Amino acid sequence: MADGTDPPPPDQSPPADRPGRRTPRLRRRPLPSREEARRRLRAFSRFHPTRGQLVAALLTASLGVALVAQARVTEEAGLQQLRETELVALLDDVTTRAQELGVEVAQLEDDRSRLLGSEGDEAAREAARQRLQSYQILAGTVPVEGPGITVLVEDEGGVITQTMLLDGIQELRDAGAEAIQVGTVRVVASSYVGTGDQGEVLLDGQALSTPYTITAVGDAHTLAGAMAIPGGFSDSLRGAGAGVTVVEADTVLIDALHEPSEPRYAQPVPPTQAP
């Protein structure tokens, strides 16, 4: 200053709030006194539920008991809950299965008796020969003949797909076909269905052409019934415009052979004990 006096110190008080702006404040509820807490506790102990609350609680408890009882009855009832037709079908299945097991047991006992008897060596050789024949048929390495069906498919429009052919093969297998041949290709466990570059259907890499001929050995009536299932192989082809003819015969011949390949990855497990 010009008069030589020191200037007054700056004001250290906090700045005043801006006009129109409120400073937030935290409000704490005061704790109730001891008398107030006792009064609230006595009021809670004198709580009297209304009729509606009692009815709701009773209905809830009754519903819980009913659900638990129903669950226990369902677990304990078992066959009692089945209808008469379902019980009859179940009984037929059990009876048929028991008869099949009885026949199998009798056959095994007969085989055991022959193997332990004086003709044991000859019986063992015969059993081994029959087993070898079964394996050869399953592997497709020998021609077979017997009762079965022949399915002729006229597909001039080229509507058949790999899925349709696979469904037809699977239907025959489910019906008990012991051997299947499509065209000149023997169907075995390792067979696969695909599609070529021109859209043609392939079976084990070999192209198939119309008319397709599918031959299956087995119970002719059962196999023909499998081909007549609504919505199945025959229905799908007819619905797409192809012609399907199923012929039952007392004897059909399957002469296509499958050339087994050497496994690349599978290796037999050596026996843990000497025979």
Side-chain angles (χ1 to χ4, degrees):
M1 301 289 293
D3 54 3
T5 60
D6 296 331
D11 188 4
Q12 299 297 330
S13 60
D17 295 340
R18 296 181 180 179
R21 181 178 180 182
R22 295 182 179 180
T23 303
R25 296 180 180 179
L26 297 177
R27 295 183 178 181
R28 297 181 179 179
R29 295 184 60 184
L31 296 176
S33 62
R34 183 176 298 179
E35 294 297 331
E36 179 67 18
R38 290 178 179 177
R39 187 183 63 80
R40 293 180 182 180
L41 184 60
R42 287 195 298 268
F44 180 77
S45 63
R46 292 194 300 269
F47 171 74
H48 298 288
T50 62
R51 178 179 298 181
Q53 291 173 339
L54 290 175
V55 171
L58 181 61
L59 290 177
T60 303
S62 301
L63 179 60
V65 173
L67 291 176
V68 173
Q70 180 65 29
R72 290 182 177 178
V73 169
T74 302
E75 292 178 357
E76 297 175 358
L79 299 178
Q80 297 178 2
Q81 298 296 324
L82 298 179
R83 294 176 296 180
E84 182 178 355
T85 54
E86 295 174 342
L87 290 173
V88 172
L90 181 60
L91 181 60
D92 290 342
D93 291 340
V94 172
T95 302
T96 303
R97 181 57 179 164
Q99 292 175 351
E100 292 176 352
L101 291 176
V103 173
E104 185 176 354
V105 168
Q107 183 177 358
L108 292 175
E109 289 179 348
D110 183 63
D111 293 342
R112 180 177 180 273
S113 299
R114 288 189 295 107
L115 292 173
L116 295 177
S118 58
E119 300 178 355
D121 294 340
E122 182 62 29
R125 284 193 293 269
E126 179 64 19
R129 186 186 64 81
Q130 293 179 358
R131 181 171 299 182
L132 176 61
Q133 289 181 350
S134 299
Y135 290 160
Q136 289 175 333
I137 293 174
L138 293 175
T141 57
V142 294
V144 295
E145 64 178 5
I149 63 172
T150 301
V151 183
L152 302 176
V153 180
E154 296 286 345
D155 184 23
E156 298 298 336
V159 298
I160 191 171
T161 63
Q162 62 177 19
T163 303
M164 291 180 177
L165 180 60
L166 182 60
D167 289 342
I169 294 174
Q170 191 60 45
E171 289 176 5
L172 291 173
R173 283 176 171 171
D174 293 341
E178 298 177 356
I180 303 174
Q181 177 178 331
V182 180
T184 59
V185 182
R186 182 75 168 267
V187 179
V188 294
S190 61
S191 295
Y192 62 94
V193 183
T195 304
D197 297 335
Q198 305 298 326
E200 69 276 15
V201 179
L202 304 178
L203 179 58
D204 286 348
Q206 299 188 31
L208 304 176
S209 59
T210 187
Y212 303 95
T213 303
I214 305 175
T215 308
V217 172
D219 184 87
H221 182 70
T222 303
L223 297 178
M227 292 290 96
I229 295 177
F233 175 71
S234 299
D235 267 4
S236 299
L237 287 176
R238 292 191 180 105
V244 181
T245 304
V246 180
V247 179
E248 300 182 34
D250 295 334
T251 303
V252 295
L253 174 63
I254 293 182
D255 54 2
L257 302 181
H258 174 73
E259 186 68 27
S261 58
E262 189 71 19
R264 295 176 55 189
Y265 307 102
Q267 298 293 332
V269 177
T272 57
Q273 295 180 358

